[in-house]
């Protein structure tokens, strides 16, 4: 089958809609995963085992089950219990929750990499726990965790096509819909492949720039 530029032109409005949905899912999913991952990390550092054990069990379960299974559970099972969300909201929650169990490990490593002397200095100055974390520990830990967190952002981007399974028309969903309607598969799928490469590259450049600024 020959390349048809008219098919590309016809697909572009669908592509723009899909790109917007993809970026929205990526941004909100990243926000949830980064925030919730930090919460998991702090809860796992509490001395109370009745907090650590349930958190550890939940995060292990989420980390060791496929994202697609979690997506189906949130979209098809929760409504039977009275918890129904839109398809995009469900997808954002699923991606954010799934990757929070990975960013949790990144935060843990970053916090443990902070020199012991920093903790001792905060104790010697009688700093309250909240200020110790916010002013001493976390600022240093964040500088160390930007590169691995950036890698997970790109992983989340590459996982957004699974949202198509719950009717979210992200980029690949739009390409599939267009292909079924116009019987043209080469052009839309190629455009989507190039788009993923470009967005991933731009994200990596942005993250490297942020990393350089943080280590100054």
């Amino acid at each position: 089958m020959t390349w048809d530029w008219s098919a590309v032109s016809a697909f572009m409005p669908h592509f723009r809609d899909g790109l917007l949905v993809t970026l929205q899912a990526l941004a909100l999913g990243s926000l949830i995963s980064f925030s919730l991952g930090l919460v998991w990390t702090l809860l796992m550092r509490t001395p109370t085992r009745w907090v650590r054990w349930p958190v550890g069990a939940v995060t292990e379960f989420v980390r060791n089950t496929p994202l697609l299974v979690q997506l189906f559970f949130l979209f098809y099972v929760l409504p039977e219990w009275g918890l129904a969300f839109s398809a995009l909201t469900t997808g954002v929650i699923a991606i954010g929750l799934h990757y929070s169990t990975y960013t949790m490990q990144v935060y843990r490593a970053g916090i443990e990499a902070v020199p012991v002397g920093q903790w001792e200095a905060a104790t010697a100055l009688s700093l309250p726990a909240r200020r110790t974390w916010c002013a001493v520990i976390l600022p240093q830990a964040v500088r160390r965790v930007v590169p691995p967190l950036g890698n997970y952002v790109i992983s989340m981007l590459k996982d957004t096509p699974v949202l198509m399974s719950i009717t979210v028309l992200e980029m690949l969903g739009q390409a599939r819909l267009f292909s079924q309607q116009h019987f043209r598969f080469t052009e839309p799928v190629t455009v989507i492949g190039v788009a993923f490469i470009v967005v991933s590259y731009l994200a990596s450049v942005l993250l490297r720039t942020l990393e350089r600024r943080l280590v100054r």
Side-chain angles (χ1 to χ4, degrees), residues 1 8 44 48 55 74-75 84-85 91 94 97 112 145 147 161-162 169 174 176 198 214:
M1 181 178 292
V8 176
M44 287 297 292
T48 307
V55 170
L74 293 176
F75 191 67
F85 304 99
L97 176 62
E112 291 179 354
V145 303
V162 302
L169 292 178
Q174 290 284 2
R176 181 183 180 186
V198 171
L214 288 175

Side-chain angles (χ1 to χ4, degrees), residues 8-215:
V8 176
S9 299
F11 175 63
M12 291 312 294
H14 301 271
F15 167 72
R16 286 192 292 269
D17 293 340
L19 177 62
L20 181 61
V21 173
T22 297
L23 294 179
Q24 185 177 357
L26 176 63
L28 296 177
S30 298
L31 181 61
I32 292 174
S33 68
F34 293 165
S35 303
L36 191 55
L38 181 59
V39 171
W40 295 142
T41 303
L42 297 179
L43 289 177
M44 287 297 292
R45 294 183 64 88
T46 61
T48 307
R49 62 181 182 179
W50 301 113
V51 173
R52 295 197 313 272
W53 287 0
V55 170
V58 169
T59 54
E60 282 296 321
F61 176 81
V62 172
R63 187 164 53 247
N64 290 286
T65 52
L67 173 59
L68 187 60
V69 173
Q70 297 165 17
L71 196 62
F72 278 18
F73 181 85
L74 293 176
F75 191 67
Y76 294 110
V77 177
L78 285 188
E80 297 182 3
W81 298 350
L83 294 174
F85 304 99
S86 68
L88 179 58
T89 300
T90 301
V92 167
I93 293 173
I95 289 176
L97 176 62
H98 183 79
Y99 275 94
S100 71
T101 61
Y102 293 95
T103 59
M104 163 191 173
Q105 299 300 327
V106 174
Y107 284 123
R108 178 188 61 78
I111 291 172
E112 291 179 354
V114 175
V116 176
Q118 299 294 312
W119 295 91
E120 295 173 346
T123 302
L125 293 172
S126 300
L127 294 180
R130 188 171 190 177
R131 189 172 181 187
T132 298
W133 280 102
C134 295
V136 180
I137 304 303
L138 289 181
Q140 297 183 65
V142 166
R143 294 188 180 95
R144 293 175 167 84
V145 303
V146 167
L149 288 181
N151 292 335
Y152 283 122
V153 170
I154 296 175
S155 295
M156 279 185 270
L157 171 65
K158 291 187 289 186
D159 271 347
T160 54
V162 302
L163 303 185
M164 179 177 59
S165 63
I166 59 169
T167 73
V168 176
L169 292 178
E170 39 65 62
M171 287 196 293
L172 187 59
Q174 290 284 2
R176 181 183 180 186
L177 180 63
F178 180 88
S179 299
Q180 292 172 341
Q181 292 175 343
H182 298 271
F183 302 102
R184 299 292 305 188
F185 293 88
T186 303
E187 294 83 4
V189 174
T190 302
V191 169
I192 295 305
V194 172
F196 271 108
I197 293 173
V198 171
V199 175
S200 296
Y201 176 74
L202 292 177
S204 64
V205 170
L206 178 62
L207 290 165
R208 284 198 298 268
T209 302
L210 178 60
E211 180 184 356
R212 286 195 296 270
R213 289 182 177 273
L214 288 175
V215 296

